[in-house]
Amino acid sequence: MTDANRPIHMDLSGVPDVVILRLPMYVRALSQLLDAGSEVVNSHRLGRLLRITPAQIRKDLSYFGKFGKQGQGYSVRFLRNELRRILGLDRNWSACLVGVGNLGQAIINYPGFAPEGFSVVAAFDSDPALVGKPVRDIPVRPMSDLDAVISEGEVAIGIVAVPASQAQSVIDQLVDAGVRGILNYAPVAPSVPDGIVIRNIDPALSLQSMTYYLLQDDSRPV
Amino acid sequence: MTDANRPIHMDLSGVPDVVILRLPMYVRALSQLLDAGSEVVNSHRLGRLLRITPAQIRKDLSYFGKFGKQGQGYSVRFLRNELRRILGLDRNWSACLVGVGNLGQAIINYPGFAPEGFSVVAAFDSDPALVGKPVRDIPVRPMSDLDAVISEGEVAIGIVAVPASQAQSVIDQLVDAGVRGILNYAPVAPSVPDGIVIRNIDPALSLQSMTYYLLQDDSRPV
DNA sequence: TCTTGTGAAGTGATTCACAGCT
DNA sequence: AGCTGTGAATCACTTCACAAGA
């Protein structure tokens, strides 16, 4: 009962998706703690920082191993490094951007990607007026270059910042070219083949669900 | 058993959050169908469009009433209007933006908010160099104006596009001024009082959880 | 016959509570 | 004494499956 029938926690496909979604939050909080000079932390404090219950944090971590010491807590540095390794953030990830309009340019200039090992190595646009003029050192290429650049450059991630009407077609092209993850900013629910990971960034949907709750407690005088 | 002990489905606070998060997706899909000339739809087709099971859709709708006709399906127009009403999208919502840097300007220029009744009526920045120069017709004001503009203008929503270090403080100011919903683009996990609705837009977190799955099936040759 | 609306069943995630280690 | 790691219990969400209406 102690060691014979161990749980299959190392079964990687068995970790719930919600757990994976929380790990980056842990990494971020741990980095902050480290910056603030904390070398150890317990699940209670980490939970307060992220507004997550301590039990949740301990359970999440238990899917991957034992990282803490009873009575003390976790080494901030060690836990952060382990989580970064688990998430694959200890390596570099090349991404390409499709769509260099307002939004696309903001994405290229967004400083939040680089720190965790993501770099946009190429950009594409169907508008000839945009092609050729680099944005922040990143060359803007025609769509016809997409396939070659992705397959030759080991680009694993495609970032989609095109109008809704073109999004599915662009995503199909990215997948065909060999991209394995899609970060989609277009307001659509795209379909991708099995094995392709997609994340949608959709502020309009966020606002539209928010208003439901704003309607509820109109108790206070506006 | 038929009518005496009816379920408390009209108990508005009893609708699961996940359901509310899906309603805007339904609205969007229904709008598309309408644009495409479809007047009726059934849960199966709507589900295929959104990659949601038909049972899920019917169950979600059942929290709010009966919108369909057995044997036929739903009137696209009617269902869309009902959902828009339920979500509060049949009225106008004023929002203000804090932070008029790269990201903030992209948000102001983002065409996705206006169609569902959201309008950014004011913008604020702590940088004097940005204050005074309107961005796309929206005046940029100093932070000191924030309180007055929000309370006088019936601004219910604050959009936060400032650096992480300032985000919590800005959110506090917005809440104090009377905003009831926050759309936060800063990479932090802010805390807000009860009754305040917050939505976080955090592409970096999305990418960081994506890579976990990209590591898993390295079956194909890269 | 087709499709909704919904109790009941099933599945999945969170929280509890405590044994065990430091 | 303090805190982790984790089965067990609880809670929440999804899917099933079918009665009933068009």
Side-chain angles (χ1 to χ4, degrees):
Chain A
M1 200 193 281
T2 37
D3 205 81
N5 53 351
R6 294 186 53 233
I8 29 79
H9 277 161
M10 281 303 144
D11 170 17
L12 291 163
S13 62
V15 182
D17 290 356
V18 280
V19 173
I20 305 301
L21 292 174
R22 280 191 293 264
L23 297 188
M25 311 200 293
Y26 300 161
V27 171
R28 184 181 283 168
L30 291 165
S31 295
Q32 279 172 221
L33 286 169
L34 214 52
D35 289 348
S38 301
E39 284 292 340
V40 293
V41 70
N42 58 36
S43 59
H44 185 76
R45 182 146 83 102
L46 193 54
R48 190 149 25 79
L49 230 46
L50 291 166
R51 267 154 299 279
I52 289 178
T53 65
Q56 176 95 81
I57 290 174
R58 296 201 303 276
K59 178 65 105 182
D60 284 357
L61 297 179
S62 78
Y63 283 103
F64 303 97
K66 304 182 179 190
F67 306 102
K69 290 199 193 3
Q70 281 133 327
Q72 344 268 121
Y74 304 90
S75 154
V76 174
R77 192 180 309 272
F78 175 70
L79 181 55
R80 191 190 77 121
N81 289 347
E82 286 295 293
L83 292 179
R84 282 175 44 85
R85 187 181 48 74
I86 290 165
L87 286 168
L89 302 177
D90 55 350
R91 56 182 78 184
N92 262 48
W93 294 95
S94 293
C96 70
L97 172 74
V98 184
V100 193
N102 267 315
L103 178 58
Q105 300 200 18
I107 292 168
I108 288 181
N109 287 307
Y110 181 63
F113 291 148
E116 286 294 355
F118 297 94
S119 48
V120 178
V121 298
F124 303 91
D125 205 292
S126 58
D127 181 354
L130 292 170
V131 170
K133 297 163 189 160
V135 177
R136 225 247 222 132
D137 294 0
I138 295 156
V140 178
R141 303 163 179 274
M143 291 299 287
S144 50
D145 285 8
L146 191 138
D147 211 275
V149 171
I150 286 174
S151 41
E152 283 161 28
E154 296 194 351
V155 177
I157 297 168
I159 304 176
V160 177
V162 301
S165 58
Q166 299 166 41
Q168 184 65 59
S169 144
V170 164
I171 288 170
D172 292 344
Q173 288 175 69
L174 284 165
V175 170
D176 287 348
V179 148
R180 295 176 48 230
I182 303 270
L183 186 66
N184 171 48
Y185 283 81
V188 293
S191 73
V192 289
D194 278 6
I196 303 296
V197 188
I198 185 151
R199 293 283 184 272
N200 296 298
I201 306 291
D202 201 324
L205 288 187
S206 295
L207 277 185
Q208 289 167 28
S209 66
M210 175 190 291
T211 49
Y212 173 80
Y213 297 99
L214 300 187
L215 288 182
Q216 303 310 312
D217 47 5
D218 266 338
S219 41
R220 76 163 75 178
V222 182
Chain B
M1 200 195 281
T2 37
D3 204 81
N5 54 353
R6 292 184 55 233
I8 31 75
H9 276 163
M10 281 303 144
D11 169 18
L12 291 164
S13 63
V15 181
D17 289 357
V18 278
V19 173
I20 304 302
L21 291 175
R22 279 191 295 266
L23 297 188
M25 311 200 296
Y26 300 162
V27 171
R28 183 181 283 167
L30 291 165
S31 295
Q32 278 172 220
L33 286 169
L34 214 51
D35 288 349
S38 302
E39 285 292 341
V40 294
V41 70
N42 57 37
S43 61
H44 185 74
R45 182 145 81 102
L46 193 53
R48 188 149 23 80
L49 229 46
L50 290 166
R51 268 156 298 281
I52 291 178
T53 65
Q56 176 94 82
I57 290 173
R58 295 201 304 275
K59 180 65 110 182
D60 284 358
L61 298 179
S62 78
Y63 283 102
F64 302 97
K66 304 183 177 188
F67 306 101
K69 290 198 193 5
Q70 282 136 326
Q72 344 267 124
Y74 304 89
S75 154
V76 174
R77 191 181 309 271
F78 174 70
L79 181 55
R80 190 189 78 121
N81 288 346
E82 286 296 293
L83 291 179
R84 283 175 45 85
R85 188 181 50 73
I86 289 165
L87 286 168
L89 302 178
D90 54 349
R91 56 182 77 185
N92 262 50
W93 293 95
S94 292
C96 69
L97 171 73
V98 183
V100 193
N102 266 316
L103 178 57
Q105 300 201 18
I107 291 168
I108 288 181
N109 288 307
Y110 181 61
F113 291 148
E116 288 294 355
F118 297 93
S119 49
V120 178
V121 298
F124 303 91
D125 204 294
S126 59
D127 182 354
L130 291 170
V131 171
K133 296 165 189 156
V135 177
R136 225 247 221 135
D137 293 1
I138 294 154
V140 178
R141 302 162 180 275
M143 290 299 286
S144 50
D145 286 7
L146 191 137
D147 211 274
V149 170
I150 286 175
S151 39
E152 284 159 28
E154 295 196 348
V155 177
I157 297 168
I159 304 177
V160 177
V162 301
S165 58
Q166 299 165 41
Q168 184 65 58
S169 144
V170 163
I171 288 169
D172 292 344
Q173 289 176 68
L174 284 165
V175 170
D176 287 347
V179 147
R180 295 177 48 232
I182 303 271
L183 186 66
N184 171 48
Y185 283 81
V188 292
S191 73
V192 289
D194 277 5
I196 303 296
V197 188
I198 186 152
R199 294 282 185 271
N200 297 299
I201 306 292
D202 202 325
L205 288 186
S206 295
L207 276 184
Q208 290 167 28
S209 66
M210 175 190 291
T211 49
Y212 173 81
Y213 297 99
L214 299 188
L215 288 181
Q216 303 311 312
D217 46 6
D218 267 337
S219 42
R220 76 163 75 177
V222 181

